[in-house]
Amino acid sequence: MQLMGLYVVVFLKCFLVVFGQQIHSQHKVADLHWKPATATWYGSPEGDGSDGECSLYVPGGACGYGSLVDVKPLRARVGAVSPVLFKNGEGCGACYKVRCLDKSICSRRAVTIIVMDECPGGYCSNGNTHFDLSGAAFGRMAISGENGQLRNRGILPVIYRRTPCKYPGKNIAFHVNEGSTDYWLSLLVEFEDGDGDVGSMHIREAGGIEWLEMTHVWGANWCIVRGPLKGPFSVKLTTLATGRTLSAREVIPRNWAPKATYTSRLNFLH
């Protein structure tokens, strides 16, 4: 009987360890497996991709991050991705490691980029997995002194994998989009580390107990049509990749204003 009891204890411990690992793995966005893709670059050679007369995309990107693409900690580590990774805007903010496979001109290190834009045509069409990187991000894959030569190659075979986003010293912020009113409130999420993407957003009004669901509009922008809405607002976001949830209590004050950004005290990795 004692031996049987020991077997039961060992079994339960093993079950809890395995089960615990399964639950924990659901909250890991990092992918250990590299996958094949292709890559090009756009904008100016050392720019953030949204600059230059030959830029193909909307300045600041189809995610709506605007001038943040060239502000620390992003600093041009950005790129446009094909629709399979853009996911109609829900892939905005996700981070990937991209590494070139041409050993004659590429270093062994990968560049980490943040999805800020979508490339809808050309190499990005027909279900292809493609990265159109900023000139700065593309050049960082080269061996020392060969940045320019690498950019002259045009399209490159690369491998990529998902990786957690990291914004040292930054907490999640909510930008109130221009045009927002007490009846139409639109928010943009900034500096979300970890998964980086947003699968759903809710807000809660002052003194309320109900979380009101927001609607994904475009890029990384979400809105709610209801009114009159009364601040301060708490905001709850759920990531797309792993379903992690974070709630920022009364992060948007009662006297909020359009085009203002309100920073929380929280982030997923700290």
Side-chain angles (χ1 to χ4, degrees):
M1 289 296 292
Q2 290 180 342
L3 185 60
M4 180 62 71
L6 179 61
Y7 285 150
V8 171
V9 171
V10 171
F11 173 80
L12 288 174
K13 286 185 176 180
C14 292
F15 174 80
L16 289 173
V17 169
V18 172
F19 182 76
Q21 288 176 341
Q22 290 175 340
I23 294 297
H24 184 65
S25 67
Q26 291 176 358
H27 295 303
K28 285 187 176 181
V29 71
D31 188 351
L32 299 179
H33 302 288
W34 293 91
K35 302 173 185 176
T38 50
T40 48
W41 66 279
Y42 67 107
S44 62
E46 295 295 338
D48 60 28
S50 66
D51 59 345
E53 295 180 358
C54 295
S55 175
L56 300 176
Y57 313 119
V58 177
C63 290
Y65 293 118
S67 59
L68 286 178
V69 296
D70 201 27
V71 175
K72 188 178 180 179
L74 277 60
R75 287 288 170 86
R77 294 185 300 111
V78 300
V81 293
S82 52
V84 293
L85 297 180
F86 189 71
K87 302 173 185 175
N88 294 318
E90 290 188 342
C92 288
C95 295
Y96 293 90
K97 287 186 179 293
V98 182
R99 183 158 65 89
C100 174
L101 294 176
D102 188 341
K103 296 180 180 178
S104 67
I105 197 169
C106 296
S107 69
R108 297 181 62 182
R109 70 176 180 273
V111 61
T112 299
I113 65 101
I114 304 156
V115 175
M116 293 283 174
D117 215 336
E118 179 184 25
C119 57
Y123 297 116
C124 297
S125 60
N126 301 319
N128 295 325
T129 303
H130 185 80
F131 293 84
D132 206 7
L133 306 179
S134 69
F138 194 88
R140 286 173 187 164
M141 293 189 293
I143 57 178
S144 180
E146 297 294 334
N147 307 51
Q149 290 300 318
L150 181 63
R151 284 190 285 264
N152 289 338
R153 292 288 182 92
I155 186 170
L156 287 175
V158 297
I159 53 177
Y160 76 99
R161 62 184 175 90
R162 188 76 178 268
T163 191
C165 298
K166 296 179 181 179
Y167 299 108
K170 292 283 188 179
N171 288 330
I172 291 178
F174 300 94
H175 178 78
V176 180
N177 289 319
E178 185 176 4
S180 290
T181 69
D182 292 339
Y183 294 85
W184 183 85
L185 178 63
S186 177
L187 302 178
L188 171 73
V189 183
E190 300 175 354
F191 304 123
E192 177 202 340
D193 61 19
D195 292 1
D197 54 23
V198 179
S200 67
M201 279 184 61
H202 295 75
I203 67 165
R204 187 171 63 197
E205 297 181 85
I209 59 173
E210 179 186 4
W211 285 104
L212 308 175
E213 185 175 5
M214 302 189 76
T215 301
H216 180 229
V217 186
W218 65 276
N221 297 277
W222 297 72
C223 83
I224 184 169
V225 180
R226 188 184 177 107
L229 295 164
K230 297 180 180 179
F233 301 115
S234 300
V235 182
K236 179 173 69 174
L237 64 86
T238 302
T239 67
L240 179 68
T242 64
R244 298 186 69 185
T245 298
L246 179 148
S247 300
R249 183 179 178 184
E250 298 184 351
V251 63
I252 300 176
R254 185 183 306 276
N255 59 340
W256 62 270
K259 299 194 289 184
T261 300
Y262 302 101
T263 302
S264 73
R265 298 178 181 179
L266 308 169
N267 218 326
F268 283 105
L269 296 185
H270 59 273

